[in-house]
Amino acid sequence: LKSIGVLTSGGDSPGMNAALRAVVRTALFEGVKVWGIYNGYRGLLDEEMEEMTSRSVSDIIQRGGTILGTARCKRFMTEEGRMQAYENMKKRGIEGLVIIGGDGSLRGATQLSLETGVPIVGLPGTIDNDVWGTDYTIGCDTAANTIIDAINKLRDTASSHNRIAVVEVMGRHCGWLAMLAGIAGGAEFILVPEEEYNLDDICSGIIKSYEQGRRYSLIVVAEGVGSSLDIGKYIEEKTNMDVRVSVLGHIQRGGSPSVRDRVKASQLGEKAALALIAGQSDVVFGFNQGKVVAIDLHDAITNKKHMNDEFIRLAKQLN
Ligand code: ADP
């Protein structure tokens, strides 16, 4: 291809800028025009796009969020909307797209490719690490580090007061982020949507550990498990101990990307641009055991990611 577009869509994640920078600079190096499309699919519909230069992506590798902006777009969910998007691309000679986004964004990309034949290459941009076929998604590492910062602080105050700290982290359907942060933060219990848990068992475990001299407890809860406030209340009533619930919220989405996210996003951005330019389509690039892998776009959106059993085992073993 001689002219491509790139957009970020859905929930933002730290490292999207690093991926964008790599896509733009790789395309330019290959002598291919590259259009930056603002605000996800909405920009494609409302014609918010411009041709990028190498300078357009200067000074962004260290920034969280996405300089292109992102949005959720209902109109793109209709065939009519997607045809309009296609027309707007054709008008400018944009022959293919790199889509950086989560599960939903990749679903939208599949539809567009199916209906119009536009070549699409996807990159998994989400802190949830919930994209099938890759053990890495752009932003999860930074988000886990943000959670660890919070956990370290919560440990200080929980231990001073002999309290139980319940920390709710993002992850509606997928507990990867909770699991990573819980293991790294040394949590006693990690509750994820993929794994059943018994609150009464947790309460008796806490009581026992206090009897053995533990000064405080840390429980990490993925938001998909249920209301952390209710969970905290239940534990307080059952154990008769002081519980504090902290919902970390959107803090987890922001921040300067970690080294890991910058490097991996750069690697993926380069691969995506080269593949698209070479005419590949319907593929998502990710990592598997440290190596870049190409995942079929259809497989990526139809399969459900499984939690790493080894993590579940390890978390239990070490608590
Ligand atoms: P994420 O990419 O983070 O999972 P969303 O699920 O909100 O975020 O998806 C982002 C956007 O992708 C939506 O606002 C919509 O424009 C588009 N999209 C999501 N699912 C579909 C679908 N099934 N068909 C077409 N477009 C979709």
Side-chain angles (χ1 to χ4, degrees):
L1 314 190
K2 282 285 153 217
S3 173
I4 64 171
V6 54
L7 62 82
T8 51
S9 168
D12 66 335
S13 69
M16 280 183 160
N17 282 328
L20 167 69
R21 172 176 174 271
V23 170
V24 169
R25 295 212 166 147
T26 302
L28 293 174
F29 186 80
E30 295 294 319
V32 169
K33 268 192 197 174
V34 52
W35 290 76
I37 297 149
Y38 292 97
N39 304 317
Y41 293 123
R42 197 176 79 201
L44 212 46
L45 280 162
D46 293 344
E47 307 192 63
E48 300 168 300
M49 43 191 126
E50 66 183 1
E51 218 183 304
M52 302 251 117
T53 66
S54 188
R55 286 283 296 284
S56 314
V57 291
S58 295
D59 198 29
I60 67 167
I61 196 165
Q62 77 284 10
R63 284 200 234 164
T66 157
I67 60 152
L68 286 180
T70 181
R72 297 202 151 97
C73 177
K74 281 233 172 81
R75 280 175 291 156
F76 194 77
M77 311 275 277
T78 66
E79 192 172 346
E80 197 190 344
R82 291 188 293 270
M83 288 317 289
Q84 182 65 55
Y86 177 57
E87 292 302 324
N88 293 342
M89 284 174 62
K90 271 205 307 198
K91 224 193 274 180
R92 291 167 179 79
I94 302 172
E95 299 169 293
L97 291 175
V98 175
I99 308 287
I100 308 169
D103 198 46
S105 303
L106 298 177
R107 250 168 240 286
T110 314
Q111 283 302 113
L112 184 68
S113 147
L114 196 74
E115 291 159 3
T116 64
V118 163
I120 303 263
V121 174
L123 291 182
T126 163
I127 64 166
D128 289 346
N129 204 359
D130 59 353
V131 177
W132 184 89
T134 174
D135 51 30
Y136 168 84
T137 63
I138 298 165
C140 182
D141 185 65
T142 305
N145 279 294
T146 301
I147 297 169
I148 289 302
D149 282 346
I151 284 179
N152 290 343
K153 289 171 181 156
L154 289 167
R155 270 179 180 282
D156 290 343
T157 169
S159 83
S160 302
H161 285 272
N162 287 283
R163 277 178 183 145
I164 298 168
V166 174
V167 186
E168 182 188 304
V169 306
M170 284 189 171
R172 256 170 299 171
H173 312 288
C174 178
W176 269 86
L177 190 55
M179 197 47 87
L180 285 180
I183 291 174
E188 274 81 68
F189 298 98
I190 306 166
L191 310 190
V192 294
E194 294 91 340
E195 178 80 351
E196 298 220 342
Y197 63 92
N198 181 319
L199 269 190
D200 292 327
D201 288 350
I202 290 175
C203 290
S204 46
I206 292 172
I207 292 168
K208 203 164 126 206
S209 69
Y210 270 64
E211 283 166 3
Q212 290 168 348
R214 182 181 280 287
R215 293 175 49 79
Y216 69 100
S217 263
L218 174 69
I219 304 172
V220 174
V221 178
E223 64 179 328
V225 161
S227 159
S228 56
L229 290 172
D230 290 348
I231 290 172
K233 211 167 145 206
Y234 188 89
I235 295 174
E236 189 156 67
E237 280 163 11
K238 270 269 163 176
T239 61
N240 222 0
M241 290 178 206
D242 227 2
V243 177
R244 290 292 183 276
V245 178
S246 303
V247 179
L248 298 188
H250 277 79
I251 283 185
Q252 297 164 89
R253 285 269 190 83
S256 179
S258 66
V259 171
R260 185 171 146 90
D261 277 331
R262 293 185 199 193
V263 173
K264 291 206 180 288
S266 300
Q267 285 178 276
L268 293 181
E270 185 201 28
K271 285 279 182 206
L274 291 176
L276 187 62
I277 290 165
Q280 277 194 58
S281 181
D282 290 56
V283 43
V284 179
F285 284 98
F287 278 89
N288 211 328
Q289 303 191 343
K291 291 219 161 55
V292 175
V293 287
I295 306 142
D296 181 80
L297 180 59
H298 187 75
D299 287 347
I301 61 159
T302 48
N303 290 301
K304 188 174 158 34
K305 178 127 169 200
H306 287 291
M307 172 57 74
N308 184 332
D309 290 335
E310 190 51 25
F311 281 166
I312 294 179
R313 190 196 59 76
L314 184 67
K316 284 192 178 137
Q317 175 79 16
L318 301 183
N319 102 35

